[in-house]
Amino acid sequence: MSRRRWFWVAGIAVTLVVAAVLSGFASSSPDGLEWAAEDTGFGHTAEDSAVAGSPLADYAIGGQDGALSGGAAGVIGVVVTLLLAGGLALVVRRRGRDETPVPD
């Protein structure tokens, strides 16, 4: 396996481990925006987003709490992001090859 391929495989593996394992240790406290809204008195005006009922809402699978659910949601997020970014990279790369220079 070439060095470049080994580097990518190792990077993806580390990313998946972080998403699966370390996400269980994430803070359940509100983020900075939620804290500031509560602190300044307009937190009661918050509404759920349009995707609040989606399968991966609140970084958990199906609304389940726990490290396993959060870790699985993290892994799914990493895989989807890699597939989308990889697909986009292939399209852009292929488009660059297909364009032939026009002589002046």
Side-chain angles (χ1 to χ4, degrees):
M1 186 181 298
S2 71
R3 278 188 172 195
R4 181 179 288 174
R5 188 174 302 242
W6 173 249
F7 174 78
W8 283 104
V9 168
I12 291 170
V14 167
T15 303
L16 289 170
V17 167
V18 167
V21 177
L22 295 183
S23 63
F25 297 103
S27 173
S28 61
S29 299
D31 64 14
L33 179 61
E34 290 175 2
W35 175 84
E38 292 295 327
D39 191 50
T40 55
F42 68 91
H44 65 280
T45 64
E47 297 178 9
D48 281 341
S49 84
V51 294
S54 68
L56 296 177
D58 290 331
Y59 305 106
I61 294 181
Q64 301 295 318
D65 289 331
L68 183 60
S69 178
V75 169
I76 291 169
V78 167
V79 170
V80 168
T81 301
L82 287 174
L83 289 174
L84 289 174
L88 181 62
L90 287 175
V91 167
V92 169
R93 186 174 174 190
R94 186 166 293 154
R95 180 176 286 180
R97 281 191 211 155
D98 291 344
E99 294 177 5
T100 56
V102 178
D104 291 331

